[in-house]
Amino acid sequence: MGRRADDRGDLGTLFVLLGGLMAGSTLVAAVWGEWYVVPGFLLSAALTGALGAVLNRWGTDAPDTDTAHGLVTAALAWLASGALCSLPILLVAWTVAIDPRWLSTPELDRTLVVFLSPINAAFEGMSGVTGTGLTMALDESALPATIQWWRSLVQWIGGVGVVVLAAAIVLTGESGSFRQLYEEKSAVESIGSSTRETLRAIWWVFVVLTVGSVIALWAAGMPAWQAINHGMTGISTGGFTTTPQGIATYGDPVIEAVLVPIMILGAVSFAVHYYALRGNVRALYADRQTRWLLGLVGFGTLAVGGLLFAGPFVERGDAIRFGAFQFVSALTCTGFQTDTTLGTVWSIEAQLMLVAAMTVGGASGSTAGGIKVVRFMSLTKGSLYRTTEAFYPDRDRTPQIAEAEERPPSTTPPRSSIRPRPSDCSGSSCCSSA
């Protein structure tokens, strides 16, 4: 008998949730008195929620799904979420351009006029959902506060995964494509005894880290509204900002010093965070990926800082300060920037170091992008093994496969090494084929 939670039902559930977030964001508009953005957000919520309801109804009594369906559904979820999340930005820009008298809309400035184009709005939405951090906004500070919030919220839920959001809230014991995908492919499935418990634990950890990040930035001197937005986009390693020049706008080493560990925390596996928050501090240094991540941070800071000190920076402290921040921002794929001369004054070697860091990315099971540290570990150890094997072919050097966690060695000998003793055969034919 078919079940409700099929591909269409899962997508429908996700769209209903996104519609609810759009409607809920009107509370931000009420706080800031931006009533002219309310129609755009409510219309977006209605369209998104209606599409979700249709898909939910269409998915009733559909056949069971498997992992292949889950992979397709996840891909469609990311694509559709990016398009739907662009609707509030597009409709608000259109509202300001139409200028209804009863809404008291502000003047259409050069920042908002960019989003009159559906392509530009779709770019912004997709960049937010995927945590890419690229933006079409010319001056983020000129955007309505509700749009600033929406960009940060989209990047926040996109950092941990919009599919995880849907699955964590509504997943039941029924079969479904989201469950099939995350039950078999999740990098942190060992957190809980079930898929639903694991996904909810991920969100619990994410919320705790986000609140801590916001409080830390506010305590460091960042204005409360900007601390909320940068805390959300920092821990999700997305990089959207509310200022025209990113973190360089502040020019404050204290704020930068607070943001560096926030970005690193976003690049650490959720499983490590979960066990650490539950009192198992050993998980922080026992996890091999975390050790490699911190090692890369130390190496990159010294390397980039040295290149900057030998080039455009005359003060060693400034070279380490900017080198450390930009390398961590690149390694975690956050994209925050503290030096606006990075692309023009920095040496080619320093820029290539940042590109290499972005390619590696953070730990598997984190919000960071890149190929992940665990694959970099495997690639490095495999390359060393092959290189050494070419010079010393007669030596036995079996490479250790990189894993996120240490596993105790098995005490059971391989099946092929267990041979029956002659006294155990007792006339049977078990030894005849040996």
Side-chain angles (χ1 to χ4, degrees), residues 32 337 345 362:
W32 285 90
Q337 187 170 344
V345 177

Side-chain angles (χ1 to χ4, degrees), residues 420-427 431:
R421 295 176 297 175
S423 59
D424 295 335
C425 295
S426 303
C431 296

Side-chain angles (χ1 to χ4, degrees), residues 281-342:
V281 183
R282 181 181 178 274
L284 290 173
Y285 60 85
D287 179 66
R288 193 179 302 178
Q289 279 197 104
T290 305
R291 296 200 302 267
W292 274 66
L293 178 67
L294 296 178
L296 288 172
V297 169
F299 170 78
T301 296
L302 294 177
V304 176
L307 291 171
L308 294 181
F309 183 64
F313 289 87
V314 295
E315 296 291 338
R316 184 180 292 106
D318 288 341
I320 294 297
R321 169 190 166 187
F322 290 102
F325 188 94
Q326 292 303 155
F327 185 83
V328 170
S329 181
L331 182 63
T332 60
C333 300
T334 306
F336 285 150
Q337 187 170 344
T338 55
D339 188 359
T340 56
T341 66
L342 189 155

